[in-house]
Amino acid sequence: MAIDAATVRRVAHLARIKTPEDRLEPLAAELNGILNWIEQLNEVDVDGVEPMTSNVHQPLRLRDDVVTDGARVDAVLSNAPKSADGFFVVPKVVE
Amino acid sequence: MTDNTKTIQGRTGPWELVMGLEIHAQVASRAKLFSGAAVGFGAGPNEQVSLVDAGFPGMLPVLNKFCVEQAVRTGLGLNAKINNRSQFDRKNYFYPDLPTGYQISQLFYPIVGEGVVEVEAEDGSFFNVGIERLHLEQDAGKLIHDLSPTESYVDLNRAGTALMEIVSRPDIRSPEEAVAYVKKIRTILIYLGTCDGDMEKGNLRADVNVSVCHPGQYEKFKATGDFSHLGTRCEIKNVNSFRFISQAINYEARRQIEILEDGGKVDQETRLYDPTAGETRSMRSKEEAMDYRYFPDPDLLPLELEQAWIDGIKASLPELPDDKRRRLMADYGLSQYDAVVLISEQAKADYFEAAAQGNGTGRRDAKLVANWVTNELSARLAADGKDFSECPLPAAHVAELVELIENGTISSKIAKEVFDHVWSGEGSPSEVVEKHGLKQVTDTGAIEKAVDEIIAANPDKAAAVAEKPQAIGWFVGQVMKATGGKANPAAVNDILKAKLGL
């Protein structure tokens, strides 16, 4: 799997990570290095082996349908660059 | 099964429609899918938001067991396969209503697999719609655009609310079928109590995938399962009323036909229906083509369900609409039409059954009860904007009214008047009949007296009846008028015939 500069640009855009043009080629080389390294895993035959999701088999933790949270508008908005009347305020977005 | 396929005549020939629907149904639960914040409508901005919903660093989602139960219950109600093992994935995209930058959904291993829904078409025939899957996912927040000319306001109260996405197979062939399918799903969800079905609040909404093809292509697709026989589809997002579903499909089909007939190509894209303009519009520019980069959510282990738990839910299912329809037809001898009208609302069917069981005086004429419930009573409730669960009239009153008609105490015509009084709270039908003196006159002496008087006053008309027997209708009307509508119509007819020598 070879990553080129165009792919890096696209992935960076999708992830909203600002990447200067002169960094695209070096990043592509670094990512290819990582991917090639990971590709060694393909040498292992995992046919019929269940993917491991945790080192100890345990069920997904579930919660009862009870309201235990909310009514903390100040905390929710505490990181907002801008807010008003309990709302987050962002630059206009209209589809 | 009759063919309800819609054909649209284009300039170059006929076209057919093919549709598949994705219905988003909000799970009826108290708390959100992965947090303990409340689900609901009407709270102040961001009051029903936990730090999980707001996407704060380090917050971990914990799955709501009841939402899982609701999804399983719905799957069982859709005759679908429940997957004992499912998994949650992240669907990545950036939008201000999605604070985490990803929606937790189930792409690869949904909780519910294939099923089938029986839907009644307008002409009374049935068609089946295949269900491809049902999965659990989070809803997004809400953007408000009209509070500022240059900014959007974000309310995350809805963010993280559990949704069931129900994906159908492309088995739907006309706008009418699409509407009938959504209505059926809505009815099933309400019966199951897994979604309140409130479309005005957006608690049930549909994405409609529309494509067009030449006649014959759909059959090739059905035979081979090869989608290349079908046209390119466009997805119309978030249509939230039955009327708009139908309008959006009609517009979109014509738009695609025009493109194709002009020698163009339909682009696979997401579109929005604008009810004001009556058209669909492209939602996202092509350069922004979505790549959601799905991957399993590392915060959540696979969801494993024990068969015994699923069986327990199955055992607790209420009677579903189709079973109820069959039972009402078999037990009460109702027509399919009446049964379908009654089951459309669970409370309406319950009301009918209570009334048909009678008021301690034995079963009543089911057909008559069904007529009163589906006509007069439904109309009154609709006029007051109520449904049967809020019906102010006890079912026993309808039973009593029908009993009075059955035993000849009142005529069906007078029954309407009795109903008016009962509806306005004047008491039970018997009390109303007593109070207003509405008992049917079966005393032949009184009727004979009225008949004699009318014949005596109208000798020319009486003579004419011999020539034209239909003219008896005029006499019946006069007698009814003279007796205040209370005379037994059959008795009036018999006496008139005898006196007029017919």
Side-chain angles (χ1 to χ4, degrees):
Chain A
M1 188 169 163
I3 301 255
D4 58 12
T7 308
V8 176
R9 188 186 293 117
R10 188 173 133 71
V11 172
H13 174 66
L14 285 170
R16 300 294 187 274
I17 297 172
K18 192 171 178 182
T19 312
E21 279 295 309
D22 61 359
R23 283 290 299 144
L24 295 179
E25 287 292 352
L27 267 172
E30 284 171 35
L31 286 169
N32 277 322
I34 294 168
L35 288 171
N36 287 336
W37 184 68
I38 292 171
E39 250 165 40
Q40 289 178 54
L41 289 172
N42 288 343
E43 290 166 21
V44 185
D45 180 5
V46 289
D47 273 358
V49 179
E50 287 261 326
M52 191 176 81
T53 48
S54 76
N55 47 7
V56 185
H57 183 81
Q58 52 184 345
L60 175 61
R61 225 181 96 215
L62 299 171
R63 188 168 48 79
D64 287 335
D65 185 31
V66 178
V67 176
T68 55
D69 206 341
R72 48 201 295 176
V73 181
D74 290 344
V76 166
L77 296 175
S78 58
N79 288 331
K82 190 170 178 189
S83 64
D85 307 324
F87 292 98
F88 292 89
V89 178
V90 300
K92 195 95 173 170
V93 273
V94 181
E95 284 268 27
Chain B
M1 201 170 118
T2 51
D3 190 8
N4 297 302
T5 303
K6 175 163 177 146
T7 307
I8 295 181
Q9 201 59 42
R11 279 176 280 124
T12 61
W15 295 85
E16 287 182 3
L17 275 64
V18 181
M19 281 154 286
L21 267 66
E22 290 160 24
I23 293 177
H24 289 91
Q26 183 180 313
V27 175
S29 65
R30 292 190 191 92
K32 292 181 178 178
L33 184 56
F34 293 110
S35 87
V39 169
F41 204 72
N46 291 307
E47 278 178 3
Q48 298 176 338
V49 180
S50 80
L51 300 182
V52 179
D53 310 316
F56 273 57
M59 295 296 115
L60 289 173
V62 183
L63 183 59
N64 182 332
K65 186 177 183 182
F66 183 66
C67 292
V68 174
E69 186 181 328
Q70 292 285 59
V72 169
R73 186 171 286 121
T74 305
L76 293 168
L78 299 174
N79 309 300
K81 180 180 179 295
I82 308 301
N83 292 324
N84 295 61
R85 187 184 162 95
S86 63
Q87 199 175 303
F88 289 93
D89 305 296
R90 290 185 182 180
K91 177 181 181 176
N92 300 281
Y93 65 95
F94 283 100
Y95 209 66
D97 62 7
L98 188 76
T100 46
Y102 57 84
Q103 176 197 35
I104 305 179
S105 181
Q106 298 187 297
L107 177 70
F108 302 108
Y109 300 101
I111 186 164
V112 176
E114 290 189 10
V116 66
V117 178
E118 200 181 350
V119 186
E120 207 207 35
E122 265 174 67
D123 63 359
S125 65
F126 287 91
F127 61 99
N128 284 338
V129 176
I131 301 295
E132 193 172 300
R133 57 189 284 156
L134 175 154
H135 63 254
L136 279 167
E137 63 181 30
Q138 299 173 297
D139 205 346
K142 201 170 121 196
L143 292 173
I144 295 138
H145 301 295
D146 55 8
L147 292 177
S148 152
T150 54
E151 290 162 323
S152 295
Y153 282 49
V154 189
D155 175 10
L156 298 179
N157 281 350
R158 210 180 54 189
T161 298
L163 299 178
M164 296 177 282
E165 178 170 331
I166 303 166
V167 183
S168 87
R169 296 227 167 257
D171 289 348
I172 297 164
R173 305 302 313 281
S174 71
E176 294 76 26
E177 282 193 357
V179 170
Y181 166 71
V182 179
K183 280 189 177 165
K184 186 55 179 279
I185 293 284
R186 181 173 176 273
T187 305
I188 293 173
L189 294 174
I190 293 172
Y191 267 64
L192 292 166
T194 56
C195 169
D196 68 10
D198 191 334
M199 295 177 85
E200 261 171 51
K201 289 190 184 137
N203 296 353
L204 186 87
R205 45 196 201 260
D207 298 345
V208 190
N209 288 286
V210 182
S211 69
V212 297
C213 63
H214 287 299
Q217 293 300 108
Y218 182 75
E219 287 69 22
K220 284 186 199 161
F221 158 71
K222 284 301 253 190
T224 59
D226 180 355
F227 278 91
S228 70
H229 292 297
L230 300 179
T232 305
R233 67 173 195 272
C234 288
E235 180 180 5
I236 314 168
K237 275 269 180 212
N238 273 342
V239 199
N240 66 353
S241 88
F242 295 126
R243 194 157 52 94
F244 294 163
I245 289 172
S246 171
Q247 289 172 356
I249 292 170
N250 277 316
Y251 175 87
E252 179 59 20
R254 283 178 196 283
R255 185 188 73 88
Q256 292 183 14
I257 291 168
E258 255 174 55
I259 292 174
L260 294 169
E261 294 196 327
D262 286 342
K265 195 174 135 287
V266 175
D267 290 319
Q268 183 169 338
E269 60 177 356
T270 307
R271 301 178 69 85
L272 254 190
Y273 180 65
D274 175 348
T276 323
E279 61 182 30
T280 64
R281 279 200 300 264
S282 186
M283 251 178 96
R284 288 170 184 133
S285 57
K286 267 168 251 161
E287 317 71 271
E288 281 289 301
M290 279 294 146
D291 176 349
Y292 293 123
R293 295 152 299 143
Y294 278 98
F295 65 91
D297 191 317
D299 288 341
L300 292 157
L301 289 164
L303 172 62
E304 288 171 2
L305 305 179
E306 281 176 30
Q307 192 56 42
W309 188 68
I310 297 171
D311 292 342
I313 297 170
K314 192 169 191 170
S316 74
L317 287 187
E319 183 180 38
L320 289 165
D322 291 306
D323 297 327
K324 204 185 268 297
R325 184 189 75 236
R326 290 189 194 96
R327 187 173 58 76
L328 291 184
M329 289 169 69
D331 283 9
Y332 296 92
L334 291 182
S335 66
Q336 180 182 304
Y337 177 82
D338 281 338
V340 166
V341 173
L342 287 171
I343 61 150
S344 66
E345 203 186 307
Q346 202 170 20
K348 189 179 350 187
D350 291 347
Y351 191 96
F352 160 78
E353 288 208 73
Q357 292 297 335
N359 189 19
T361 50
R363 269 209 191 184
R364 302 269 63 93
D365 181 333
K367 173 73 191 161
L368 210 48
V369 173
N371 282 347
W372 279 96
V373 171
T374 59
N375 297 327
E376 208 64 33
L377 189 53
S378 291
R380 298 300 175 104
L381 287 169
D384 285 3
K386 287 185 170 146
D387 60 39
F388 272 84
S389 60
E390 309 157 297
C391 183
L393 210 66
H397 280 5
V398 172
E400 198 177 301
L401 185 70
V402 170
E403 188 183 3
L404 292 174
I405 301 170
E406 279 185 272
N407 65 23
T409 307
I410 54 173
S411 66
S412 6
K413 211 172 147 205
I414 287 294
K416 289 232 164 51
E417 199 184 325
V418 175
F419 183 86
D420 283 339
H421 291 297
V422 174
W423 180 259
S424 51
E426 291 185 37
S428 77
S430 312
E431 285 161 7
V432 164
V433 168
E434 204 57 46
K435 183 173 158 200
H436 293 272
L438 294 171
K439 245 192 196 118
Q440 181 162 245
V441 179
T442 41
D443 167 14
T444 48
I447 298 174
E448 273 184 48
K449 187 164 162 277
V451 168
D452 287 341
E453 279 169 16
I454 290 160
I455 292 178
N458 300 281
D460 47 332
K461 285 213 162 73
V465 169
E467 308 285 312
K468 227 176 110 202
Q470 313 88 287
I472 196 172
W474 182 84
F475 281 95
V476 175
Q478 292 301 307
V479 177
M480 294 309 277
K481 212 162 140 191
T483 56
K486 288 178 285 181
N488 179 323
V492 172
N493 243 313
D494 291 347
I495 294 168
L496 270 170
K497 277 184 180 162
K499 300 258 179 194
L500 291 167
L502 289 175

